[in-house]
Amino acid sequence: MPSRFRCLLALLAGASAALAGTSARAAGADDYTLDPVHTRVVFLVEHAGFSRAMGTISGSSGTLRFDRDDWRTAQLDVTVPLARLDLGDAKWNAAVLAARLLHAEKHPEARFVSRQVEGVDADHAKACGDLTLRGVTAPLCLDVTFNALKRHPLPPFRRTAGFSATATLSRKAFGIDAWPTVIGDEVKLLIEVEAVRSRGNGDNPQAPADAEPADTGEEGLKPDEAGKIEDGEGEPDPALPASEVP
């Protein structure tokens, strides 16, 4: 066989192997939906050199694609509702949401979309992507810590992933440059995320053994299971309605 044909066959074989590897990695990833109750953004920014003002934003929503064994397949798309911002004071909140700063009336949401996720080790990764804030899109990288991936101990017992993340951004990079002698430019972010596995993934025969129960009623529970903890991680509480668990 001529050498040029051998080289061509080798290249084709290598490409096929690479595609097969990519497909295998993607097949191991599951889709998750962010839990807005247990996902929160904390931000810290210098206040005139005296202290760092601390605020929170709750109610974030979005999607996550995640494979515990391969960080490279991870994809995150999250929307943060700026109207949920809370600095602990109504006047402070109004000032930060006003046109000179976040201009939340015109730009009510911030959005982060990951472009690349690289593992540092089994439990840590750097997720880089684009943050859109106040109508400006700029790059942002998150340092991510993996906390847990397991069946939630409370109803409706869904398989849940948990993460912590940190990041630092310049507010000037997003056109937020008012009050420079009072408000610092550097904003530190502390982020806590819980994400619940989407329903379709439970049909995978290779899903982990502690995946959520089959869809048998109220959010995957049998009629007599609401409000009970069935997996040995706590005492059953028949008086606790599923709608009131934390």
Side-chain angles (χ1 to χ4, degrees), residues 86-184:
D86 183 17
L87 281 151
D89 179 83
K91 290 183 178 179
W92 248 113
N93 292 349
V96 173
L97 293 173
R100 293 192 66 190
L101 293 174
L102 291 179
H103 204 345
E105 183 176 357
K106 183 177 181 180
H107 307 287
E109 297 175 337
R111 183 184 181 193
F112 176 78
V113 179
S114 66
R115 300 301 180 197
Q116 182 178 24
V117 180
E118 290 292 339
V120 176
D121 55 38
D123 294 331
H124 299 87
K126 185 173 287 291
C128 294
D130 296 322
L131 174 65
T132 301
L133 178 64
R134 205 178 187 271
V136 177
T137 300
L140 180 71
C141 287
L142 308 176
D143 292 312
V144 181
T145 298
F146 168 79
N147 297 326
L149 175 59
K150 59 184 179 180
R151 183 176 184 261
H152 200 289
L154 295 175
F157 309 111
R158 300 291 298 279
R159 191 161 179 80
T160 300
F163 306 86
S164 301
T166 61
T168 301
L169 61 85
S170 162
R171 67 186 184 98
K172 291 179 183 177
F174 296 90
I176 309 170
D177 54 5
W179 302 345
T181 61
V182 178
I183 303 175

Side-chain angles (χ1 to χ4, degrees), residues 28-82:
D30 283 334
D31 293 321
Y32 295 79
T33 300
L34 266 63
D35 178 352
V37 177
H38 297 107
T39 297
R40 181 161 293 191
V41 178
V42 178
F43 61 92
L44 298 94
V45 61
E46 183 183 290
H47 176 235
F50 297 112
S51 66
R52 288 191 298 174
M54 180 182 296
T56 65
I57 306 176
S58 58
S60 296
S61 60
T63 58
L64 168 69
R65 188 159 180 78
F66 180 64
D67 178 357
R68 179 67 181 97
D69 297 321
D70 191 349
W71 280 107
R72 293 170 296 175
T73 64
Q75 298 174 358
L76 175 64
D77 186 339
V78 57
T79 298
V80 180
L82 298 181

